[in-house]
Amino acid sequence: MVSDSVNNYIDEHQNYFVQRLAETVAIPSVSSSAAHRPDVVRMGFWLEKELKGLGASVELRYPGKQQLEGREIDLPPIVLATYGTDPNKKTVLVYGHYDVQPALKEDGWATDPFTLVEDDKGRMFGRGSTDDKGPVISWLWVIQIHQKLGLDLPVNLKMCFEGMEESGSEGLDELIYKEAALYFKDVDCVCISDNYWLGTTKPCITYGLRGVSYFMLTVSGPGKDLHSGVFGGTVHEPMTDLVHLMQKLVTPDGKILVPGIMDDVAPVTSEEDAIYKALDFSMNDIYNAIDAKNTIHDTEKNVLMSRWRFPSLSLHGIEGAFYSPGAKTVIPAKVIGKFSIRSVPNQEPAKLTKQVVDYIMSEFAKLGSKNTVHVECEHAGKSWVADINSWNYVAATKAVQKVFNVTPDYTREGGSIPVTLSFQEALKKSVLLLPMGRSDDGAHSINEKLDRSNYIQGIKLLSAYLYEVSTVQS
Amino acid sequence: MVSDSVNNYIDEHQNYFVQRLAETVAIPSVSSSAAHRPDVVRMGFWLEKELKGLGASVELRYPGKQQLEGREIDLPPIVLATYGTDPNKKTVLVYGHYDVQPALKEDGWATDPFTLVEDDKGRMFGRGSTDDKGPVISWLWVIQIHQKLGLDLPVNLKMCFEGMEESGSEGLDELIYKEAALYFKDVDCVCISDNYWLGTTKPCITYGLRGVSYFMLTVSGPGKDLHSGVFGGTVHEPMTDLVHLMQKLVTPDGKILVPGIMDDVAPVTSEEDAIYKALDFSMNDIYNAIDAKNTIHDTEKNVLMSRWRFPSLSLHGIEGAFYSPGAKTVIPAKVIGKFSIRSVPNQEPAKLTKQVVDYIMSEFAKLGSKNTVHVECEHAGKSWVADINSWNYVAATKAVQKVFNVTPDYTREGGSIPVTLSFQEALKKSVLLLPMGRSDDGAHSINEKLDRSNYIQGIKLLSAYLYEVSTVQS
């Protein structure tokens, strides 16, 4: 069988793949730092050279400039690559990013963050190991392995690797929409390689994301900050109005109080309910993640549904009020409450904003205050959910079953991964997230790691996925 | 009459007094700046030299050291002076301060802040003119005038002039309590020269201050800050609990919701009510002061009673939450709400704290949250009110009537002036505040000024007050 020879090759050459990963980890492609911008570009060039070496056609797209640390600098290139153009094959678009989060040894890393170090448990520590260099370069190895074994890839591959994911993906959305009918026109499905297993033992496929609507609620009163000794008791204080409004938004157990806001939330289907029974997740996972036991719910299913498929409202803070340690007797003149709603299908941002604004204006009127209020949605991203019975998901499921002998968890994310929605909306093709790393990899933390087994089995998974895509009924 | 000759002398020599004020304004005795500390000390020495020149016995008391701008420096001296020790005369203790607020031309001053400049309306601009050099040195002129006229002072004078009032009066309280039965042992009454008229046309005597109890309300939940995408909906969020608790403290129209807290508020007497009818104050004064019209009350009396004689509760801000401009999707792990209650007679800080803590704990229990709460009073200062029918006030009232041909406003302050309470509690003698400047002097602002008429009439007032003290029935 093809898969046996591919998998054997991967097993036999795993030290080579680890060594190549070490090569990329050694390039400190930190996108948030102007000083590291040349390293980010160098990492883009590394991919270009490797891909060209494999015979892919490669284009570096420069999205423009950005302001960073007080100066204007070039954004790093988006690496677009095509490998195979056979009209009889399906075309799979894969996405990943080659930039990384900042990392300094003195942040608390046990080893140098830009030197890949493997311990005796097969944990390979290094910035970018799991987020997202391991997954990105694995696509290159899949091509290389097939060439070494004299095999054709069963699909055409298009690749889109960006260098700004950790810094807002500047320029990517424009490119996706612009190239939807051009560079990406033959794409049949999209696989995003930038996510993690729910737990540590079982692969997953991610099929949904919550959206987010971020609100600014401003209450203005006096023309300037006042001293509470002189003016306490005489003026309508904006902070008082603001906390009265903020507490009207959500209860201590997380119930959103905005009228009508739950009306459009898609009901839980029995199929969906069944997914939750199989998940590799326990209450201890969340207790460990939050370093406390103050969960609203006490069962795994309710915790995950609250995270993934029900909306939530969080109060983030207040701008304009006193925030330092110590005591200050100020009456702030203007305060801005910040809160956001994580939205879910089928909530629409525009309707949600109207519900929130109408409610706040109506609650403010009840306060009888002479202050003024203004509320607006500062930005909104839609939620996303895919049909796990569609052929792209069936293919990924079969690939997981073949490589891992287990049916994957079907997971969603509570946060947004905007590129997912961009591909979905621009290309109108099935998008899925097929993670390589584990929940405990510490993607943005010190001592980020990728397990050797996740890396090696992950390469097999990507290869297997392409075969399943090529044969699945679509 | 003695008063005629004194007043004539003052009128005839007013340019001399103005020139001497200019001399002191030229010394930039900014107590908050290490660079200006030598100037503060120089101003203390100036007072010592002048007082000794007048034959007073003077002691410079050095309260110790302080940390300022990262280094340890000496606190400026407290100038103690005695003029007259006749056991047959009353002894009046006067207090003022010789340090000033910072001032830079580039802050927006129309003229150099440390050069006294008089305009054609008799407004004498300069840092410290009204706060508090004009009032302080006027006591020296009262002595000098009597010497020039060959008159004895009708009372013994003790003086206490500090150089740290604008920076927390460090060291003063210790001295007051220590010297209560020593240096201050013969004191019969206290006159504080550091306050302002309520308006701009009518002198006042200040007979009350509110206290302040400052609270820290801490809600703790997860072990670290969380991302609202990943954890929104799954944990009890401390910010949610906190705004629910904070809005339970006070209504938008300033009503304090802590049970029992109003029980000890002294009722308004008819005598007190009458005071408010005579006050030089209009709604426009507060509109101008707050640069808005968002007052809770629409009548002068209610505004001033709310400021002076009823408690108020202000929410100052939150430590630990997101406070910057822009959007951040954080769930803060631990937030500290800051609020304070301005207390009034006969509220006792210890009882008030218990009422607040009991209420918050009981309201928190109702929230059904798994977070933890802690509330404590960070500091408390008592309120103060004097009997305006006591002999010290009768004397001051008569003095105002003689110099200004008007009965003074009897005012209180919404904020605390801690030295007042310290003298009251340490010496157990009648304390009053006898202002020289006007409400529009801009004590801590740019273009601080003292009107020539306030200065010159003020010197007359201080002299007249001493005569009235000497003859009033005590």
Side-chain angles (χ1 to χ4, degrees):
Chain A
M1 275 177 68
V2 168
S3 64
D4 287 342
S5 57
V6 167
N7 291 348
N8 287 340
Y9 184 94
I10 294 170
D11 284 334
E12 283 160 15
H13 293 81
Q14 55 177 276
N15 285 341
Y16 166 80
F17 298 125
V18 169
Q19 171 253 309
R20 298 306 306 271
L21 176 60
E23 205 176 297
T24 64
V25 166
I27 301 173
S29 52
V30 178
S31 56
S32 62
S33 150
H36 280 299
R37 183 54 51 90
D39 297 315
V40 182
V41 173
R42 186 152 57 96
M43 186 62 212
F45 290 169
W46 187 98
L47 287 169
E48 178 192 33
K49 177 164 176 274
E50 292 290 323
L51 284 161
K52 283 189 170 166
L54 293 168
S57 63
V58 186
E59 296 181 27
L60 299 191
R61 298 292 182 85
Y62 288 89
K65 293 175 183 294
Q66 72 165 152
Q67 289 292 330
L68 188 61
E69 297 164 22
R71 57 200 177 97
E72 194 177 64
I73 59 174
D74 286 321
L75 289 164
I78 296 168
V79 180
L80 294 181
T82 300
Y83 186 77
T85 55
D86 185 341
N88 296 314
K89 292 179 181 172
K90 290 205 184 79
T91 298
V92 176
L93 170 62
V94 302
Y95 161 88
H97 64 90
Y98 63 82
D99 62 320
V100 298
Q101 283 278 319
L104 295 170
K105 178 82 163 67
E106 48 268 40
D107 291 342
W109 283 73
T111 56
D112 173 47
F114 296 107
T115 303
L116 193 74
V117 177
E118 187 174 3
D119 72 2
D120 56 8
K121 292 174 180 163
R123 298 182 299 186
M124 305 184 296
F125 294 94
R127 176 56 90 218
S129 55
T130 193
D131 183 20
D132 188 27
K133 288 174 174 172
V136 162
I137 61 176
S138 292
W139 289 108
L140 278 55
W141 310 152
V142 170
I143 299 173
Q144 188 185 67
I145 292 156
H146 280 74
Q147 290 180 349
K148 296 281 185 187
L149 294 173
L151 298 168
D152 273 350
L153 268 199
V155 299
N156 303 315
L157 261 189
K158 286 209 182 262
M159 287 157 272
C160 175
F161 300 136
E162 66 161 322
M164 282 294 287
E165 197 274 343
E166 303 293 3
S167 301
S169 292
E170 279 196 57
L172 182 65
D173 264 15
E174 294 80 347
L175 178 132
I176 292 172
Y177 281 92
K178 182 162 159 271
E179 298 297 339
L182 300 170
Y183 199 89
F184 301 138
K185 81 169 176 326
D186 296 321
V187 167
D188 294 295
C189 65
V190 182
C191 179
I192 292 179
S193 283
D194 182 21
N195 200 27
Y196 309 91
W197 296 357
L198 177 59
T200 57
T201 60
K202 196 174 162 196
C204 70
I205 303 171
T206 304
Y207 74 102
L209 303 169
R210 292 198 291 190
V212 62
S213 293
Y214 202 103
F215 292 90
M216 305 286 194
L217 168 53
T218 305
V219 182
S220 308
K224 57 191 174 193
D225 285 0
L226 301 175
H227 188 283
S228 68
V230 183
F231 295 102
T234 70
V235 299
H236 290 283
E237 301 188 12
M239 265 297 282
T240 304
D241 293 354
L242 183 63
V243 299
H244 275 265
L245 292 175
M246 288 177 92
Q247 66 92 25
K248 285 280 183 183
L249 294 169
V250 61
T251 65
D253 59 351
K255 183 164 174 278
I256 305 178
L257 296 170
V258 180
I261 207 153
M262 302 301 286
D263 294 353
D264 295 331
V265 175
V268 179
T269 64
S270 56
E271 182 190 48
E272 184 187 351
D273 198 71
I275 286 173
Y276 285 81
K277 296 197 171 73
L279 297 173
D280 173 25
F281 186 78
S282 80
M283 288 304 293
N284 279 332
D285 291 332
I286 186 159
Y287 296 153
N288 289 336
I290 66 177
D291 196 14
K293 295 199 167 183
N294 66 328
T295 54
I296 292 173
H297 304 285
D298 295 322
T299 66
E300 289 79 358
K301 179 175 129 179
N302 285 339
V303 166
L304 291 178
M305 283 199 170
S306 300
R307 172 190 290 187
W308 291 348
R309 63 100 58 234
F310 287 116
S312 63
L313 190 155
S314 294
L315 307 173
H316 306 298
I318 297 172
E319 178 185 342
F322 176 57
Y323 60 82
S324 302
K328 186 177 176 186
T329 54
V330 66
I331 298 174
K334 176 181 168 182
V335 285
I336 307 173
K338 316 275 180 96
F339 65 95
S340 67
I341 295 176
R342 297 285 165 176
S343 59
V344 299
N346 300 305
Q347 295 178 308
E348 283 296 323
K351 182 174 176 185
L352 191 147
T353 295
K354 185 174 187 318
Q355 289 169 324
V356 168
V357 172
D358 287 353
Y359 177 58
I360 286 177
M361 296 314 286
S362 129
E363 289 299 320
F364 181 75
K366 294 179 192 167
L367 298 184
S369 169
K370 290 180 188 164
N371 295 325
T372 56
V373 71
H374 175 75
V375 57
E376 65 182 15
C377 180
E378 192 257 355
H379 67 258
K382 285 173 70 172
S383 61
W384 164 75
V385 69
D387 176 6
I388 63 171
N389 297 310
S390 63
W391 62 261
N392 194 21
Y393 284 82
V394 171
T397 300
K398 286 187 177 171
V400 169
Q401 288 167 334
K402 288 205 170 154
V403 174
F404 291 91
N405 287 312
V406 68
T407 298
D409 282 342
Y410 295 99
T411 68
R412 293 162 74 160
E413 290 286 333
S416 56
I417 304 180
V419 68
T420 312
L421 201 67
S422 300
F423 279 126
Q424 174 78 60
E425 299 202 325
L427 275 57
K428 319 274 190 227
K429 301 292 176 182
S430 172
V431 179
L432 61 74
L433 296 98
L434 190 60
M436 172 174 281
R438 299 180 181 177
S439 66
D440 65 354
D441 282 354
H444 287 198
S445 305
I446 56 168
N447 303 321
E448 175 184 346
K449 59 92 178 165
L450 175 64
D451 289 81
R452 176 183 278 251
S453 62
N454 280 58
Y455 183 42
I456 299 306
Q457 296 301 94
I459 301 171
K460 295 177 190 171
L461 176 64
L462 299 187
S463 178
Y465 166 66
L466 299 185
Y467 280 92
E468 297 300 335
V469 165
S470 73
T471 57
V472 73
Q473 186 73 37
S474 64
Chain B
M1 275 176 71
V2 168
S3 64
D4 287 341
S5 57
V6 167
N7 291 349
N8 287 340
Y9 184 94
I10 294 170
D11 285 334
E12 284 162 13
H13 294 81
Q14 55 177 278
N15 285 341
Y16 166 79
F17 298 125
V18 169
Q19 172 254 308
R20 298 306 306 271
L21 176 60
E23 205 176 297
T24 64
V25 166
I27 301 172
S29 52
V30 178
S31 56
S32 62
S33 151
H36 280 300
R37 183 55 51 90
D39 297 316
V40 182
V41 174
R42 185 151 58 96
M43 185 64 211
F45 290 170
W46 188 98
L47 286 170
E48 179 192 33
K49 178 163 176 272
E50 291 291 323
L51 284 161
K52 282 188 170 167
L54 293 168
S57 62
V58 186
E59 296 182 28
L60 298 192
R61 299 292 182 87
Y62 288 89
K65 293 175 182 297
Q66 72 165 152
Q67 288 293 329
L68 188 62
E69 296 164 24
R71 57 199 177 96
E72 193 176 65
I73 59 174
D74 286 321
L75 289 164
I78 297 168
V79 179
L80 294 181
T82 300
Y83 186 78
T85 55
D86 184 341
N88 296 315
K89 291 179 180 173
K90 289 206 184 77
T91 298
V92 177
L93 170 62
V94 302
Y95 162 88
H97 64 91
Y98 63 83
D99 62 321
V100 298
Q101 285 277 320
L104 295 170
K105 179 81 162 68
E106 48 268 41
D107 292 341
W109 283 73
T111 55
D112 173 46
F114 296 107
T115 303
L116 193 74
V117 177
E118 187 174 1
D119 72 3
D120 56 8
K121 292 174 181 163
R123 297 182 301 185
M124 305 184 295
F125 295 94
R127 178 56 90 218
S129 55
T130 193
D131 184 18
D132 190 30
K133 287 174 173 172
V136 162
I137 61 176
S138 292
W139 290 109
L140 277 55
W141 310 151
V142 170
I143 298 172
Q144 189 185 65
I145 291 156
H146 280 73
Q147 290 181 350
K148 295 280 186 187
L149 294 173
L151 300 167
D152 273 350
L153 269 197
V155 299
N156 304 315
L157 262 190
K158 287 209 181 263
M159 286 157 273
C160 176
F161 300 136
E162 66 160 322
M164 282 294 287
E165 197 274 343
E166 303 294 4
S167 301
S169 293
E170 279 194 57
L172 182 65
D173 264 14
E174 294 80 346
L175 178 133
I176 292 172
Y177 280 91
K178 182 162 159 272
E179 297 297 338
L182 300 170
Y183 198 90
F184 300 138
K185 78 172 179 326
D186 296 322
V187 167
D188 293 295
C189 64
V190 182
C191 178
I192 292 179
S193 283
D194 183 21
N195 200 27
Y196 308 92
W197 296 357
L198 177 59
T200 57
T201 60
K202 197 173 160 196
C204 71
I205 304 170
T206 303
Y207 73 103
L209 301 169
R210 291 197 292 189
V212 62
S213 293
Y214 202 103
F215 292 90
M216 305 286 194
L217 166 53
T218 305
V219 182
S220 308
K224 56 190 173 192
D225 284 1
L226 301 175
H227 188 282
S228 67
V230 184
F231 295 101
T234 68
V235 299
H236 291 283
E237 301 188 12
M239 265 296 282
T240 305
D241 294 354
L242 183 63
V243 299
H244 275 266
L245 293 176
M246 288 177 91
Q247 66 92 25
K248 285 281 184 183
L249 294 168
V250 60
T251 65
D253 59 351
K255 183 165 174 276
I256 305 177
L257 297 169
V258 180
I261 207 155
M262 302 301 286
D263 294 354
D264 294 332
V265 174
V268 179
T269 63
S270 56
E271 181 191 48
E272 185 187 351
D273 198 72
I275 286 174
Y276 286 81
K277 296 197 171 72
L279 296 174
D280 173 25
F281 186 77
S282 80
M283 287 306 292
N284 278 332
D285 291 332
I286 185 159
Y287 295 153
N288 289 335
I290 66 176
D291 196 14
K293 294 199 168 185
N294 67 329
T295 53
I296 293 173
H297 304 285
D298 295 321
T299 66
E300 289 80 358
K301 180 175 127 179
N302 285 339
V303 166
L304 291 177
M305 282 198 170
S306 300
R307 171 189 292 186
W308 291 346
R309 64 102 56 233
F310 287 116
S312 63
L313 190 154
S314 295
L315 306 173
H316 306 298
I318 297 172
E319 180 185 340
F322 175 58
Y323 61 82
S324 301
K328 186 178 176 185
T329 53
V330 65
I331 298 175
K334 176 181 168 183
V335 284
I336 307 172
K338 316 275 179 97
F339 65 95
S340 67
I341 296 176
R342 297 285 165 175
S343 59
V344 299
N346 299 306
Q347 295 179 308
E348 283 296 323
K351 181 173 176 186
L352 190 148
T353 295
K354 185 172 186 321
Q355 289 169 324
V356 168
V357 172
D358 287 352
Y359 176 58
I360 286 177
M361 297 313 288
S362 130
E363 289 299 320
F364 181 75
K366 293 179 192 168
L367 298 185
S369 170
K370 290 180 189 164
N371 294 324
T372 56
V373 70
H374 176 74
V375 56
E376 65 181 18
C377 181
E378 191 258 356
H379 67 257
K382 285 172 69 172
S383 62
W384 165 76
V385 69
D387 176 5
I388 63 170
N389 296 311
S390 63
W391 62 261
N392 193 21
Y393 283 82
V394 170
T397 300
K398 285 186 178 172
V400 170
Q401 288 167 333
K402 289 205 170 155
V403 174
F404 292 91
N405 287 312
V406 69
T407 298
D409 282 342
Y410 295 98
T411 68
R412 294 162 74 158
E413 290 285 332
S416 57
I417 304 179
V419 66
T420 312
L421 201 66
S422 300
F423 280 125
Q424 173 80 61
E425 298 201 327
L427 275 58
K428 319 273 189 227
K429 301 292 177 180
S430 173
V431 179
L432 60 75
L433 296 99
L434 189 61
M436 174 175 281
R438 298 179 182 178
S439 66
D440 65 354
D441 282 354
H444 287 198
S445 307
I446 57 169
N447 303 320
E448 175 184 345
K449 58 92 178 164
L450 175 64
D451 289 81
R452 177 183 278 251
S453 63
N454 280 58
Y455 183 43
I456 299 305
Q457 296 302 92
I459 301 171
K460 295 177 190 172
L461 175 64
L462 299 188
S463 177
Y465 166 65
L466 299 185
Y467 280 91
E468 296 301 332
V469 165
S470 74
T471 57
V472 74
Q473 186 73 36
S474 65

